Amino acid sequence: MKDRNKEIWPELLFKEGKETYQTIHLWTQVVGKIKLAKMPWINHSWHVALMVTPVGLTTGDLPSDGKHFQIDFDFLNHQLEIKTSRNEVRRFDLPSLSVGAFYRDILDSLKEMNIEVKINPVPSEMESPVPLDKDERDSYVPEVATALHCALLQSNQVFTEFRAGFIGKCSPVHFFWGSFDLAVSRFSGRKAPLHPGGIPNFPDWVAIDAYSHEVSSCGFWPGNDAVPFAAFYSYIYPEPQGFKSAGIKPESAYYHNDLGEFILPYKEVQQSNDPSQTLLDFLNTTYEAAADSAHWDRENLERR
């Protein structure tokens, strides 16, 4: 059982961290596109996601011409590490490194290790993006990166506890580099209406595959222009009547009409007397609102 008295939920300030978040977002796009190039397609794009580790984010095992490799972000020592099954290792420091330099350094390092990979340099899910190999922004504050990683670790643990209560089809808890969020998704097993697509620099067929079946999804992101603060979210696709008006916990959570999601500001969790329980209350009550309003077969989908 988790000792909640030892929880550390760092303060996250979007205004101060925004540029660092943007840089890390673009770095993860480079790494994520490498994973995309090396992995077979798995439903709902689960194969492209990164995973949280005690020090950062990882691709996990990737195959390449008779050997295996892994790419790891270390947000404690502020390094990028590549290692292979043949005991080859390459590392480089992250501070003062532009997005373009990161792109070149990682592909050059892979080439030195005889790992050939080609990726599309245009960032995904962004409007009018600068190609990754030509983007020279280099904002990276180590303390901001470490705080973000700590928040991801705490969120990952609570999301995993929440995931354990569902025995139907459910995603891993994983980090999507396109939308730059940590997420976990539960499925009813029923097919969903065709998704309309329309996400910038994101093929419609990928969105259609991602939302092929009814899904209740929750997650965390450090903020963006639409929601300029770190927050947790929860939504259902397709959204049934009554979902947005359902009673949820805690009282500080609310339905965001433009996004079509319930939102819980991260600071409400971080400043809570029991952060994990506050977050679990949000995850459980928004899921229950989704499952009940959509008439899911909860008795056979949930652990009793």
Side-chain angles (χ1 to χ4, degrees):
M1 179 66 68
K2 182 178 181 181
D3 185 350
R4 301 195 193 280
N5 293 323
K6 295 182 179 180
E7 292 185 20
I8 299 175
W9 292 77
E11 184 178 31
L12 299 180
L13 301 174
F14 180 72
K15 184 177 180 180
E16 288 77 1
K18 179 179 179 180
E19 292 185 354
T20 296
Y21 300 155
Q22 289 176 340
T23 298
I24 296 173
H25 186 179
L26 293 166
W27 287 346
T28 61
Q29 291 235 356
V30 177
V31 173
K33 285 172 178 284
I34 292 169
K35 185 172 185 180
L36 173 62
K38 290 296 184 181
M39 292 290 286
W41 190 270
I42 297 174
N43 55 312
H44 311 299
S45 304
W46 290 352
H47 61 298
V48 306
L50 306 179
M51 307 300 286
V52 177
T53 73
V55 300
L57 293 167
T58 184
T59 59
D61 172 45
L62 301 176
S64 181
D65 299 326
K67 65 179 176 181
H68 296 255
F69 70 104
Q70 179 169 301
I71 305 174
D72 295 319
F73 285 97
D74 182 341
F75 295 127
L76 301 185
N77 296 300
H78 309 291
Q79 293 183 326
L80 189 285
E81 180 182 78
I82 309 168
K83 50 193 174 186
T84 77
S85 55
R86 297 181 184 176
N87 204 28
E88 302 160 297
V89 179
R90 297 289 187 278
R91 297 186 185 92
F92 54 82
D93 294 332
L94 296 175
S96 302
L97 195 65
S98 72
V99 175
F102 179 93
Y103 180 97
R104 292 184 289 273
D105 284 358
I106 194 169
L107 290 182
D108 287 347
S109 295
L110 289 171
K111 190 173 183 179
E112 291 173 4
M113 303 165 94
N114 295 312
I115 298 172
E116 295 293 333
V117 61
K118 292 183 179 180
I119 64 174
N120 179 358
V122 178
S124 300
E125 302 185 51
M126 295 182 181
E127 293 186 8
S128 305
V130 177
L132 295 163
D133 56 340
K134 301 184 185 304
D135 192 329
E136 295 307 316
R137 76 184 79 185
D138 61 356
S139 299
Y140 181 83
V141 178
E143 293 79 10
V144 170
T146 298
L148 174 60
H149 169 250
C150 184
L152 287 171
L153 271 178
Q154 296 285 23
S155 301
N156 187 75
Q157 183 165 347
V158 178
F159 285 1
T160 301
E161 184 176 344
F162 170 69
R163 182 183 186 273
F166 197 77
I167 60 175
K169 175 182 171 182
C170 188
S171 77
V173 180
H174 49 195
F175 188 87
F176 280 109
W177 42 268
S179 48
F180 201 58
D181 63 334
L182 186 72
V184 60
S185 301
R186 295 175 168 186
F187 294 82
S188 71
R190 301 189 301 236
K191 286 190 174 182
L194 193 70
H195 192 278
I199 302 171
N201 290 297
F202 191 78
D204 286 349
W205 71 265
V206 178
I208 291 170
D209 175 69
Y211 293 97
S212 62
H213 290 71
E214 289 183 344
V215 58
S216 172
S217 188
C218 58
F220 161 80
W221 72 84
N224 54 30
D225 290 335
V227 181
F229 50 86
F232 299 94
Y233 66 81
S234 180
Y235 67 88
I236 181 173
Y237 178 82
E239 184 179 310
Q241 187 174 5
F243 173 67
K244 67 176 66 177
S245 59
I248 62 165
K249 295 179 181 179
E251 292 184 359
S252 52
Y254 60 94
Y255 186 85
H256 194 296
N257 284 300
D258 291 339
L259 297 178
E261 306 175 347
F262 281 107
I263 295 293
L264 174 62
Y266 170 84
K267 70 177 182 180
E268 300 294 339
V269 172
Q270 188 254 336
Q271 295 175 2
S272 168
N273 291 330
D274 190 342
S276 287
Q277 189 58 54
T278 299
L279 178 53
L280 277 171
D281 287 344
F282 175 73
L283 301 177
N284 283 316
T285 58
T286 54
Y287 159 72
E288 289 164 3
D292 288 343
S293 57
H295 307 293
W296 285 19
D297 182 7
R298 292 184 58 187
E299 183 173 350
N300 289 311
L301 290 172
E302 299 170 18
R303 189 184 304 280
R304 298 292 177 180

